[in-house]
Amino acid sequence: MRLHVAFHPSLLATGAQPPVPITRPQVCLVVDVIRASTTLVTLVERGAALIHIASSVAAARASAAARDGAVMAGEQEGLAPPGFDYGNSPVEVSRAEVSGRPVVFVTTNGTAAIRAVRALGPVLIGALRNATAAAAEAVAWSQERSCDLTIVCAGREGAFGIDDAYCAGALADRILRHGTFEPTDGADGALRLYRTEPDARAVFTRAAAGQNVIRLGLRHDIDYCAETDASMVVPRLGRELRMLDDGRTDG
Amino acid sequence: MRLHVAFHPSLLATGAQPPVPITRPQVCLVVDVIRASTTLVTLVERGAALIHIASSVAAARASAAARDGAVMAGEQEGLAPPGFDYGNSPVEVSRAEVSGRPVVFVTTNGTAAIRAVRALGPVLIGALRNATAAAAEAVAWSQERSCDLTIVCAGREGAFGIDDAYCAGALADRILRHGTFEPTDGADGALRLYRTEPDARAVFTRAAAGQNVIRLGLRHDIDYCAETDASMVVPRLGRELRMLDDGRTDG
């Protein structure tokens, strides 16, 4: 079986000659480490009943209005939209009162990445905080189905994000220890990148995504996102997560 | 001024928040190191009068038929199409008789990458063989115009190619020595990747593009593509190169 890393959802192809798009069946790990993946892991840890993922604030508001006791979390240009209970800050969410309550969560890049792969097979959420657990569960699904595994980086609108690539390398490092996967070019690249720096914070604070969070005065979020293997929670689409958008809830 | 690296032509955005596509003016270095960039450098070294770049064999044949003494070179699934004088093998081309003759050259990924950036500003061809020379000329253009510099990796159809990313890192390494450029996420990633391995052949022989060339029995091409700073030639669109396609010759 092969391990792919797509540094952006637009790069979901294997690189084979002739070209082969990555198709079903496929186990996918979606990474948006600063900060949606990390926040989702934290929301599940805090006991959220079910997380409904929306790609727009309007869709989130409509959905929350229809759900009793729903909590609204997420971001618009980095901060909580007006009327939301929480932003997309994992540190803030780590103290949130969400136990047993449905959560409606808004993210842009993360939602696009999930949507790009939802039809391929099981979709899991990966971050540094749950790196070993996410790798283990992805490997288990992949072995169960005898299918390839793809790590998909959310990236930033239309661009590569070094934070996601680094996190993909951390996941690839753990996945390849299982010995049954052959890394393709993207996985090889992510792994090399990951191994250049033992301290995730050094990469994250220089990354465009990290710089943006720091500008908002949320530097603690970077430290939190950089903590590795602090959690055993692996959010999965169809289990802890649902997609809200375009009227479908099949996620 | 900033130094960007786009690991694929589809990732031509800066990663800023809100999203900023990479726009004019911009100096671009196009990298398709295995093998189109390397072959183009070699064709210019061999004294080709003018290289017309085509994205299809049919367009190349039509163009060559209309040019006295034209040489046809390039590839279709890695080998020279029927009736062509040369393939896309830089080793073969390094012995080619092209001095003073027009060349029609067919490549797929390389052509797509050039087309993606041709409207942004000067377009130069970068490889390992001309790394220092290409970096120096790109820096000169960028300083002359006070504009950003983008290295665009051709990649493989729809996917990341580690060979191009590695070469982009070699170019970024040289460009950043000039001290006037700020690396964005992609440049930081390419640079880290490059610094993991001093021997380009180790990366190239594992890469999907390299594996393909080796399967064709052309392993010497990999060694040739991996030779660093063997050439001072920097092909430029509008000088040594012209785009043939879509009826335009404005290259």
Side-chain angles (χ1 to χ4, degrees), chain A residues 7-8 10-11 13 15 17 19 156-162 185-186 188-189 192-193 196-197 207-208 212, chain B residues 7-8 10-11 13 15 17 19 156-162 185-186 188-189 192-193 196-197 203 207-208 212:
Chain A
F7 289 118
H8 190 272
S10 66
L11 298 183
Q17 186 85 334
R156 299 170 66 67
E157 291 86 346
F160 170 85
I162 196 168
D185 278 20
D188 190 9
R192 286 177 179 274
L193 174 57
T196 60
E197 178 57 66
N212 194 48
Chain B
F7 288 120
H8 190 272
S10 66
L11 298 182
Q17 187 84 336
R156 299 171 65 69
E157 291 84 347
F160 171 85
I162 196 168
D185 278 19
D188 189 10
R192 285 176 179 274
L193 175 57
T196 61
E197 178 57 65
V203 175
N212 194 49

mmCIF file of all heavy atoms in Angstrom, chain A residues 7-8 10-11 13 15 17 19 156-162 185-186 188-189 192-193 196-197 207-208 212, chain B residues 7-8 10-11 13 15 17 19 156-162 185-186 188-189 192-193 196-197 203 207-208 212:
data_model
loop_
_atom_site.group_PDB
_atom_site.id
_atom_site.type_symbol
_atom_site.label_atom_id
_atom_site.label_comp_id
_atom_site.label_asym_id
_atom_site.label_seq_id
_atom_site.Cartn_x
_atom_site.Cartn_y
_atom_site.Cartn_z
ATOM 1 N N PHE A 7 -0.005 18.223 -0.626
ATOM 2 C CA PHE A 7 0.280 19.451 0.120
ATOM 3 C C PHE A 7 -0.844 20.481 0.020
ATOM 4 O O PHE A 7 -0.795 21.519 0.666
ATOM 5 C CB PHE A 7 1.600 20.070 -0.336
ATOM 6 C CG PHE A 7 2.798 19.268 0.105
ATOM 7 C CD1 PHE A 7 3.662 18.707 -0.822
ATOM 8 C CD2 PHE A 7 3.037 19.048 1.447
ATOM 9 C CE1 PHE A 7 4.751 17.958 -0.418
ATOM 10 C CE2 PHE A 7 4.117 18.295 1.870
ATOM 11 C CZ PHE A 7 4.976 17.746 0.935
ATOM 12 N N HIS A 8 -1.809 20.172 -0.802
ATOM 13 C CA HIS A 8 -2.972 21.038 -0.975
ATOM 14 C C HIS A 8 -4.064 20.157 -1.580
ATOM 15 O O HIS A 8 -3.737 19.226 -2.326
ATOM 16 C CB HIS A 8 -2.607 22.196 -1.931
ATOM 17 C CG HIS A 8 -3.633 23.276 -1.999
ATOM 18 N ND1 HIS A 8 -4.693 23.248 -2.876
ATOM 19 C CD2 HIS A 8 -3.776 24.421 -1.286
ATOM 20 C CE1 HIS A 8 -5.425 24.341 -2.702
ATOM 21 N NE2 HIS A 8 -4.891 25.065 -1.740
ATOM 22 N N SER A 10 -5.779 20.555 -4.024
ATOM 23 C CA SER A 10 -5.743 20.560 -5.502
ATOM 24 C C SER A 10 -4.698 19.589 -6.040
ATOM 25 O O SER A 10 -4.633 19.369 -7.250
ATOM 26 C CB SER A 10 -5.459 21.975 -6.020
ATOM 27 O OG SER A 10 -4.151 22.377 -5.648
ATOM 28 N N LEU A 11 -3.887 18.992 -5.177
ATOM 29 C CA LEU A 11 -2.825 18.090 -5.645
ATOM 30 C C LEU A 11 -3.135 16.624 -5.343
ATOM 31 O O LEU A 11 -2.239 15.836 -5.041
ATOM 32 C CB LEU A 11 -1.483 18.482 -5.026
ATOM 33 C CG LEU A 11 -0.974 19.881 -5.372
ATOM 34 C CD1 LEU A 11 0.394 20.122 -4.748
ATOM 35 C CD2 LEU A 11 -0.883 20.083 -6.883
ATOM 36 N N ALA A 13 -3.284 13.751 -6.718
ATOM 37 C CA ALA A 13 -2.944 12.805 -7.784
ATOM 38 C C ALA A 13 -1.712 12.056 -7.321
ATOM 39 O O ALA A 13 -0.979 12.505 -6.442
ATOM 40 C CB ALA A 13 -2.690 13.535 -9.089
ATOM 41 N N GLY A 15 1.018 11.166 -9.035
ATOM 42 C CA GLY A 15 2.297 11.463 -9.661
ATOM 43 C C GLY A 15 2.774 10.363 -10.588
ATOM 44 O O GLY A 15 3.865 10.430 -11.129
ATOM 45 N N GLN A 17 2.966 7.958 -13.955
ATOM 46 C CA GLN A 17 2.975 8.280 -15.387
ATOM 47 C C GLN A 17 2.426 7.073 -16.129
ATOM 48 O O GLN A 17 3.018 5.997 -16.024
ATOM 49 C CB GLN A 17 4.418 8.565 -15.825
ATOM 50 C CG GLN A 17 4.571 9.039 -17.224
ATOM 51 C CD GLN A 17 4.369 10.543 -17.338
ATOM 52 O OE1 GLN A 17 3.690 11.141 -16.522
ATOM 53 N NE2 GLN A 17 4.902 11.142 -18.370
ATOM 54 N N PRO A 19 -0.754 9.952 -15.725
ATOM 55 C CA PRO A 19 -1.318 10.490 -14.485
ATOM 56 C C PRO A 19 -2.467 9.671 -13.910
ATOM 57 O O PRO A 19 -3.336 9.228 -14.630
ATOM 58 C CB PRO A 19 -1.795 11.884 -14.881
ATOM 59 C CG PRO A 19 -1.823 11.904 -16.372
ATOM 60 C CD PRO A 19 -0.807 10.928 -16.823
ATOM 61 N N ARG A 156 -3.253 26.945 2.683
ATOM 62 C CA ARG A 156 -3.919 28.231 2.798
ATOM 63 C C ARG A 156 -4.521 28.519 1.433
ATOM 64 O O ARG A 156 -4.080 27.971 0.448
ATOM 65 C CB ARG A 156 -2.906 29.311 3.186
ATOM 66 C CG ARG A 156 -2.269 28.969 4.556
ATOM 67 C CD ARG A 156 -1.107 29.858 4.884
ATOM 68 N NE ARG A 156 -1.515 31.236 5.070
ATOM 69 C CZ ARG A 156 -2.275 31.654 6.080
ATOM 70 N NH1 ARG A 156 -2.718 30.819 6.981
ATOM 71 N NH2 ARG A 156 -2.601 32.931 6.188
ATOM 72 N N GLU A 157 -5.517 29.371 1.397
ATOM 73 C CA GLU A 157 -6.229 29.609 0.145
ATOM 74 C C GLU A 157 -5.271 29.624 -1.045
ATOM 75 O O GLU A 157 -4.497 30.559 -1.223
ATOM 76 C CB GLU A 157 -7.001 30.942 0.192
ATOM 77 C CG GLU A 157 -8.182 30.926 1.137
ATOM 78 C CD GLU A 157 -7.821 31.271 2.573
ATOM 79 O OE1 GLU A 157 -6.620 31.264 2.912
ATOM 80 O OE2 GLU A 157 -8.737 31.529 3.361
ATOM 81 N N GLY A 158 -5.312 28.573 -1.822
ATOM 82 C CA GLY A 158 -4.523 28.517 -3.050
ATOM 83 C C GLY A 158 -3.036 28.353 -2.854
ATOM 84 O O GLY A 158 -2.273 28.434 -3.810
ATOM 85 N N ALA A 159 -2.566 28.106 -1.622
ATOM 86 C CA ALA A 159 -1.117 28.056 -1.406
ATOM 87 C C ALA A 159 -0.720 26.941 -0.441
ATOM 88 O O ALA A 159 -1.551 26.400 0.299
ATOM 89 C CB ALA A 159 -0.617 29.402 -0.875
ATOM 90 N N PHE A 160 0.558 26.631 -0.494
ATOM 91 C CA PHE A 160 1.197 25.680 0.404
ATOM 92 C C PHE A 160 1.309 26.293 1.798
ATOM 93 O O PHE A 160 1.638 27.464 1.941
ATOM 94 C CB PHE A 160 2.594 25.430 -0.182
ATOM 95 C CG PHE A 160 3.537 24.652 0.688
ATOM 96 C CD1 PHE A 160 3.517 23.268 0.680
ATOM 97 C CD2 PHE A 160 4.474 25.303 1.482
ATOM 98 C CE1 PHE A 160 4.415 22.539 1.453
ATOM 99 C CE2 PHE A 160 5.382 24.589 2.252
ATOM 100 C CZ PHE A 160 5.343 23.203 2.236
ATOM 101 N N GLY A 161 1.042 25.501 2.829
ATOM 102 C CA GLY A 161 1.274 25.957 4.206
ATOM 103 C C GLY A 161 2.305 25.053 4.852
ATOM 104 O O GLY A 161 2.109 23.838 4.943
ATOM 105 N N ILE A 162 3.411 25.625 5.303
ATOM 106 C CA ILE A 162 4.501 24.790 5.823
ATOM 107 C C ILE A 162 4.104 24.115 7.136
ATOM 108 O O ILE A 162 4.607 23.029 7.468
ATOM 109 C CB ILE A 162 5.811 25.601 5.964
ATOM 110 C CG1 ILE A 162 6.998 24.636 6.111
ATOM 111 C CG2 ILE A 162 5.726 26.590 7.122
ATOM 112 C CD1 ILE A 162 8.350 25.283 5.968
ATOM 113 N N ASP A 185 6.181 10.613 -3.660
ATOM 114 C CA ASP A 185 6.996 11.836 -3.585
ATOM 115 C C ASP A 185 6.566 12.785 -2.468
ATOM 116 O O ASP A 185 7.407 13.327 -1.743
ATOM 117 C CB ASP A 185 6.938 12.605 -4.923
ATOM 118 C CG ASP A 185 7.907 12.036 -5.951
ATOM 119 O OD1 ASP A 185 8.327 10.874 -5.796
ATOM 120 O OD2 ASP A 185 8.223 12.752 -6.914
ATOM 121 N N GLY A 186 5.255 13.011 -2.344
ATOM 122 C CA GLY A 186 4.771 13.957 -1.339
ATOM 123 C C GLY A 186 5.096 13.486 0.075
ATOM 124 O O GLY A 186 5.501 14.272 0.927
ATOM 125 N N ASP A 188 7.521 11.472 0.951
ATOM 126 C CA ASP A 188 8.971 11.587 1.113
ATOM 127 C C ASP A 188 9.341 13.039 1.443
ATOM 128 O O ASP A 188 10.118 13.318 2.370
ATOM 129 C CB ASP A 188 9.642 11.117 -0.187
ATOM 130 C CG ASP A 188 11.151 10.957 -0.064
ATOM 131 O OD1 ASP A 188 11.691 11.047 1.058
ATOM 132 O OD2 ASP A 188 11.804 10.754 -1.107
ATOM 133 N N GLY A 189 8.743 13.969 0.715
ATOM 134 C CA GLY A 189 9.020 15.392 0.955
ATOM 135 C C GLY A 189 8.585 15.834 2.344
ATOM 136 O O GLY A 189 9.322 16.534 3.045
ATOM 137 N N ARG A 192 10.938 14.415 5.028
ATOM 138 C CA ARG A 192 12.216 15.125 5.071
ATOM 139 C C ARG A 192 12.060 16.474 5.773
ATOM 140 O O ARG A 192 12.896 16.872 6.587
ATOM 141 C CB ARG A 192 12.750 15.341 3.652
ATOM 142 C CG ARG A 192 13.304 14.076 3.015
ATOM 143 C CD ARG A 192 13.740 14.366 1.582
ATOM 144 N NE ARG A 192 14.298 13.177 0.961
ATOM 145 C CZ ARG A 192 15.571 12.802 1.062
ATOM 146 N NH1 ARG A 192 16.432 13.542 1.736
ATOM 147 N NH2 ARG A 192 16.000 11.703 0.469
ATOM 148 N N LEU A 193 10.997 17.171 5.419
ATOM 149 C CA LEU A 193 10.731 18.480 6.018
ATOM 150 C C LEU A 193 10.569 18.345 7.533
ATOM 151 O O LEU A 193 11.161 19.102 8.315
ATOM 152 C CB LEU A 193 9.453 19.037 5.389
ATOM 153 C CG LEU A 193 8.871 20.329 5.929
ATOM 154 C CD1 LEU A 193 9.897 21.445 5.852
ATOM 155 C CD2 LEU A 193 7.646 20.722 5.102
ATOM 156 N N THR A 196 13.735 17.981 9.641
ATOM 157 C CA THR A 196 14.704 19.083 9.707
ATOM 158 C C THR A 196 14.600 19.832 11.026
ATOM 159 O O THR A 196 15.480 20.635 11.344
ATOM 160 C CB THR A 196 14.500 20.129 8.588
ATOM 161 O OG1 THR A 196 13.183 20.690 8.691
ATOM 162 C CG2 THR A 196 14.696 19.521 7.216
ATOM 163 N N GLU A 197 13.517 19.620 11.780
ATOM 164 C CA GLU A 197 13.295 20.488 12.944
ATOM 165 C C GLU A 197 12.535 19.744 14.040
ATOM 166 O O GLU A 197 11.374 19.410 13.853
ATOM 167 C CB GLU A 197 12.495 21.717 12.485
ATOM 168 C CG GLU A 197 12.129 22.698 13.571
ATOM 169 C CD GLU A 197 13.348 23.222 14.317
ATOM 170 O OE1 GLU A 197 14.160 23.918 13.710
ATOM 171 O OE2 GLU A 197 13.478 22.896 15.530
ATOM 172 N N ALA A 207 5.658 30.259 10.020
ATOM 173 C CA ALA A 207 4.681 29.987 8.962
ATOM 174 C C ALA A 207 3.706 31.150 8.798
ATOM 175 O O ALA A 207 3.412 31.857 9.763
ATOM 176 C CB ALA A 207 3.914 28.711 9.299
ATOM 177 N N ALA A 208 3.200 31.317 7.592
ATOM 178 C CA ALA A 208 2.215 32.378 7.345
ATOM 179 C C ALA A 208 1.010 32.212 8.272
ATOM 180 O O ALA A 208 0.517 33.186 8.848
ATOM 181 C CB ALA A 208 1.777 32.366 5.879
ATOM 182 N N ASN A 212 -0.123 34.878 11.275
ATOM 183 C CA ASN A 212 -1.462 35.452 11.324
ATOM 184 C C ASN A 212 -2.062 35.328 12.723
ATOM 185 O O ASN A 212 -2.649 36.274 13.256
ATOM 186 C CB ASN A 212 -2.341 34.740 10.289
ATOM 187 C CG ASN A 212 -3.629 35.476 10.028
ATOM 188 O OD1 ASN A 212 -3.624 36.680 9.812
ATOM 189 N ND2 ASN A 212 -4.745 34.761 10.081
ATOM 190 N N PHE B 7 4.897 24.682 -5.443
ATOM 191 C CA PHE B 7 5.297 23.302 -5.702
ATOM 192 C C PHE B 7 4.561 22.704 -6.901
ATOM 193 O O PHE B 7 4.846 21.590 -7.324
ATOM 194 C CB PHE B 7 5.072 22.434 -4.457
ATOM 195 C CG PHE B 7 6.055 22.727 -3.366
ATOM 196 C CD1 PHE B 7 5.649 23.164 -2.125
ATOM 197 C CD2 PHE B 7 7.415 22.578 -3.594
ATOM 198 C CE1 PHE B 7 6.566 23.443 -1.116
ATOM 199 C CE2 PHE B 7 8.345 22.859 -2.602
ATOM 200 C CZ PHE B 7 7.915 23.291 -1.368
ATOM 201 N N HIS B 8 3.638 23.462 -7.431
ATOM 202 C CA HIS B 8 2.870 23.035 -8.603
ATOM 203 C C HIS B 8 2.268 24.314 -9.186
ATOM 204 O O HIS B 8 1.967 25.244 -8.424
ATOM 205 C CB HIS B 8 1.763 22.060 -8.170
ATOM 206 C CG HIS B 8 1.076 21.374 -9.308
ATOM 207 N ND1 HIS B 8 -0.017 21.908 -9.954
ATOM 208 C CD2 HIS B 8 1.347 20.196 -9.927
ATOM 209 C CE1 HIS B 8 -0.397 21.082 -10.917
ATOM 210 N NE2 HIS B 8 0.419 20.038 -10.926
ATOM 211 N N SER B 10 -0.573 24.980 -9.954
ATOM 212 C CA SER B 10 -1.895 25.287 -9.382
ATOM 213 C C SER B 10 -1.794 25.992 -8.033
ATOM 214 O O SER B 10 -2.801 26.430 -7.489
ATOM 215 C CB SER B 10 -2.715 24.001 -9.226
ATOM 216 O OG SER B 10 -2.110 23.149 -8.261
ATOM 217 N N LEU B 11 -0.590 26.113 -7.484
ATOM 218 C CA LEU B 11 -0.431 26.736 -6.161
ATOM 219 C C LEU B 11 0.202 28.128 -6.236
ATOM 220 O O LEU B 11 0.997 28.508 -5.377
ATOM 221 C CB LEU B 11 0.398 25.834 -5.249
ATOM 222 C CG LEU B 11 -0.193 24.458 -4.956
ATOM 223 C CD1 LEU B 11 0.693 23.674 -3.990
ATOM 224 C CD2 LEU B 11 -1.594 24.570 -4.371
ATOM 225 N N ALA B 13 -0.223 31.140 -5.275
ATOM 226 C CA ALA B 13 -0.796 32.144 -4.379
ATOM 227 C C ALA B 13 0.204 32.362 -3.257
ATOM 228 O O ALA B 13 1.066 31.528 -2.997
ATOM 229 C CB ALA B 13 -2.140 31.674 -3.839
ATOM 230 N N GLY B 15 -0.335 32.752 0.019
ATOM 231 C CA GLY B 15 -0.623 32.223 1.339
ATOM 232 C C GLY B 15 -0.981 33.309 2.349
ATOM 233 O O GLY B 15 -1.181 33.038 3.521
ATOM 234 N N GLN B 17 -3.263 36.181 4.252
ATOM 235 C CA GLN B 17 -4.650 36.193 4.710
ATOM 236 C C GLN B 17 -5.112 37.634 4.722
ATOM 237 O O GLN B 17 -4.517 38.437 5.428
ATOM 238 C CB GLN B 17 -4.706 35.609 6.127
ATOM 239 C CG GLN B 17 -6.075 35.399 6.691
ATOM 240 C CD GLN B 17 -6.694 34.085 6.249
ATOM 241 O OE1 GLN B 17 -6.323 33.550 5.211
ATOM 242 N NE2 GLN B 17 -7.648 33.604 6.997
ATOM 243 N N PRO B 19 -6.524 35.829 1.069
ATOM 244 C CA PRO B 19 -5.721 35.235 0.001
ATOM 245 C C PRO B 19 -5.284 36.222 -1.076
ATOM 246 O O PRO B 19 -6.059 37.053 -1.503
ATOM 247 C CB PRO B 19 -6.638 34.171 -0.594
ATOM 248 C CG PRO B 19 -8.003 34.488 -0.103
ATOM 249 C CD PRO B 19 -7.838 35.179 1.198
ATOM 250 N N ARG B 156 4.313 16.861 -11.437
ATOM 251 C CA ARG B 156 3.828 15.841 -12.347
ATOM 252 C C ARG B 156 2.333 16.048 -12.465
ATOM 253 O O ARG B 156 1.735 16.649 -11.595
ATOM 254 C CB ARG B 156 4.153 14.460 -11.793
ATOM 255 C CG ARG B 156 5.680 14.293 -11.645
ATOM 256 C CD ARG B 156 6.045 13.051 -10.912
ATOM 257 N NE ARG B 156 5.667 11.854 -11.633
ATOM 258 C CZ ARG B 156 6.229 11.455 -12.768
ATOM 259 N NH1 ARG B 156 7.172 12.186 -13.329
ATOM 260 N NH2 ARG B 156 5.835 10.346 -13.359
ATOM 261 N N GLU B 157 1.732 15.588 -13.540
ATOM 262 C CA GLU B 157 0.316 15.840 -13.770
ATOM 263 C C GLU B 157 -0.479 15.787 -12.462
ATOM 264 O O GLU B 157 -0.707 14.718 -11.906
ATOM 265 C CB GLU B 157 -0.272 14.827 -14.763
ATOM 266 C CG GLU B 157 0.219 14.988 -16.187
ATOM 267 C CD GLU B 157 1.558 14.286 -16.452
ATOM 268 O OE1 GLU B 157 2.221 13.879 -15.473
ATOM 269 O OE2 GLU B 157 1.919 14.167 -17.635
ATOM 270 N N GLY B 158 -0.875 16.962 -12.009
ATOM 271 C CA GLY B 158 -1.742 17.029 -10.829
ATOM 272 C C GLY B 158 -1.078 16.679 -9.522
ATOM 273 O O GLY B 158 -1.749 16.579 -8.498
ATOM 274 N N ALA B 159 0.235 16.503 -9.493
ATOM 275 C CA ALA B 159 0.876 16.057 -8.242
ATOM 276 C C ALA B 159 2.195 16.772 -7.996
ATOM 277 O O ALA B 159 2.793 17.369 -8.890
ATOM 278 C CB ALA B 159 1.089 14.543 -8.272
ATOM 279 N N PHE B 160 2.625 16.678 -6.754
ATOM 280 C CA PHE B 160 3.916 17.175 -6.289
ATOM 281 C C PHE B 160 5.030 16.268 -6.822
ATOM 282 O O PHE B 160 4.899 15.047 -6.823
ATOM 283 C CB PHE B 160 3.871 17.109 -4.761
ATOM 284 C CG PHE B 160 5.166 17.373 -4.057
ATOM 285 C CD1 PHE B 160 5.570 18.665 -3.771
ATOM 286 C CD2 PHE B 160 5.974 16.321 -3.636
ATOM 287 C CE1 PHE B 160 6.755 18.908 -3.079
ATOM 288 C CE2 PHE B 160 7.153 16.553 -2.941
ATOM 289 C CZ PHE B 160 7.545 17.856 -2.668
ATOM 290 N N GLY B 161 6.135 16.870 -7.272
ATOM 291 C CA GLY B 161 7.307 16.086 -7.661
ATOM 292 C C GLY B 161 8.469 16.475 -6.763
ATOM 293 O O GLY B 161 8.864 17.650 -6.712
ATOM 294 N N ILE B 162 9.032 15.506 -6.053
ATOM 295 C CA ILE B 162 10.064 15.852 -5.074
ATOM 296 C C ILE B 162 11.336 16.319 -5.762
ATOM 297 O O ILE B 162 12.110 17.107 -5.204
ATOM 298 C CB ILE B 162 10.336 14.680 -4.098
ATOM 299 C CG1 ILE B 162 11.109 15.190 -2.866
ATOM 300 C CG2 ILE B 162 11.056 13.525 -4.787
ATOM 301 C CD1 ILE B 162 11.175 14.199 -1.731
ATOM 302 N N ASP B 185 6.249 30.519 2.907
ATOM 303 C CA ASP B 185 6.182 29.123 3.353
ATOM 304 C C ASP B 185 6.782 28.127 2.358
ATOM 305 O O ASP B 185 7.510 27.213 2.740
ATOM 306 C CB ASP B 185 4.720 28.708 3.614
ATOM 307 C CG ASP B 185 4.233 29.160 4.990
ATOM 308 O OD1 ASP B 185 4.849 30.072 5.574
ATOM 309 O OD2 ASP B 185 3.236 28.595 5.473
ATOM 310 N N GLY B 186 6.450 28.299 1.081
ATOM 311 C CA GLY B 186 6.932 27.351 0.076
ATOM 312 C C GLY B 186 8.449 27.388 -0.040
ATOM 313 O O GLY B 186 9.109 26.344 -0.147
ATOM 314 N N ASP B 188 10.564 28.341 2.277
ATOM 315 C CA ASP B 188 11.096 27.766 3.513
ATOM 316 C C ASP B 188 11.061 26.234 3.415
ATOM 317 O O ASP B 188 12.047 25.545 3.732
ATOM 318 C CB ASP B 188 10.249 28.270 4.696
ATOM 319 C CG ASP B 188 10.842 27.923 6.053
ATOM 320 O OD1 ASP B 188 11.995 27.453 6.113
ATOM 321 O OD2 ASP B 188 10.139 28.124 7.063
ATOM 322 N N GLY B 189 9.949 25.708 2.930
ATOM 323 C CA GLY B 189 9.808 24.255 2.799
ATOM 324 C C GLY B 189 10.803 23.668 1.807
ATOM 325 O O GLY B 189 11.452 22.644 2.073
ATOM 326 N N ARG B 192 14.359 23.703 3.271
ATOM 327 C CA ARG B 192 14.554 22.645 4.271
ATOM 328 C C ARG B 192 14.723 21.288 3.590
ATOM 329 O O ARG B 192 15.583 20.487 3.966
ATOM 330 C CB ARG B 192 13.350 22.583 5.220
ATOM 331 C CG ARG B 192 13.321 23.718 6.223
ATOM 332 C CD ARG B 192 12.045 23.646 7.067
ATOM 333 N NE ARG B 192 12.014 24.707 8.057
ATOM 334 C CZ ARG B 192 12.579 24.634 9.264
ATOM 335 N NH1 ARG B 192 13.205 23.539 9.634
ATOM 336 N NH2 ARG B 192 12.499 25.645 10.093
ATOM 337 N N LEU B 193 13.885 21.040 2.599
ATOM 338 C CA LEU B 193 13.960 19.777 1.857
ATOM 339 C C LEU B 193 15.335 19.635 1.198
ATOM 340 O O LEU B 193 15.991 18.588 1.282
ATOM 341 C CB LEU B 193 12.850 19.782 0.797
ATOM 342 C CG LEU B 193 12.785 18.642 -0.194
ATOM 343 C CD1 LEU B 193 12.669 17.316 0.529
ATOM 344 C CD2 LEU B 193 11.562 18.841 -1.105
ATOM 345 N N THR B 196 18.272 18.564 3.388
ATOM 346 C CA THR B 196 18.286 17.230 3.997
ATOM 347 C C THR B 196 19.214 16.276 3.270
ATOM 348 O O THR B 196 19.514 15.196 3.787
ATOM 349 C CB THR B 196 16.887 16.565 3.994
ATOM 350 O OG1 THR B 196 16.435 16.400 2.648
ATOM 351 C CG2 THR B 196 15.878 17.375 4.785
ATOM 352 N N GLU B 197 19.654 16.647 2.064
ATOM 353 C CA GLU B 197 20.381 15.663 1.264
ATOM 354 C C GLU B 197 21.372 16.350 0.328
ATOM 355 O O GLU B 197 20.967 17.046 -0.591
ATOM 356 C CB GLU B 197 19.353 14.849 0.448
ATOM 357 C CG GLU B 197 19.950 13.811 -0.486
ATOM 358 C CD GLU B 197 20.830 12.817 0.241
ATOM 359 O OE1 GLU B 197 20.291 12.057 1.064
ATOM 360 O OE2 GLU B 197 22.061 12.829 0.022
ATOM 361 N N VAL B 203 17.910 11.750 -4.075
ATOM 362 C CA VAL B 203 16.509 12.174 -4.152
ATOM 363 C C VAL B 203 15.923 11.797 -5.514
ATOM 364 O O VAL B 203 14.821 11.257 -5.611
ATOM 365 C CB VAL B 203 16.396 13.699 -3.919
ATOM 366 C CG1 VAL B 203 14.969 14.185 -4.127
ATOM 367 C CG2 VAL B 203 16.887 14.046 -2.511
ATOM 368 N N ALA B 207 12.547 9.510 -6.683
ATOM 369 C CA ALA B 207 11.392 10.294 -7.131
ATOM 370 C C ALA B 207 10.609 9.543 -8.205
ATOM 371 O O ALA B 207 11.180 8.764 -8.974
ATOM 372 C CB ALA B 207 11.861 11.640 -7.676
ATOM 373 N N ALA B 208 9.318 9.794 -8.272
ATOM 374 C CA ALA B 208 8.481 9.158 -9.299
ATOM 375 C C ALA B 208 9.027 9.481 -10.695
ATOM 376 O O ALA B 208 9.106 8.601 -11.557
ATOM 377 C CB ALA B 208 7.032 9.634 -9.165
ATOM 378 N N ASN B 212 10.621 6.697 -13.357
ATOM 379 C CA ASN B 212 10.103 6.564 -14.719
ATOM 380 C C ASN B 212 11.236 6.560 -15.746
ATOM 381 O O ASN B 212 11.265 5.746 -16.668
ATOM 382 C CB ASN B 212 9.128 7.716 -14.996
ATOM 383 C CG ASN B 212 8.298 7.475 -16.233
ATOM 384 O OD1 ASN B 212 7.734 6.403 -16.390
ATOM 385 N ND2 ASN B 212 8.247 8.454 -17.109
#
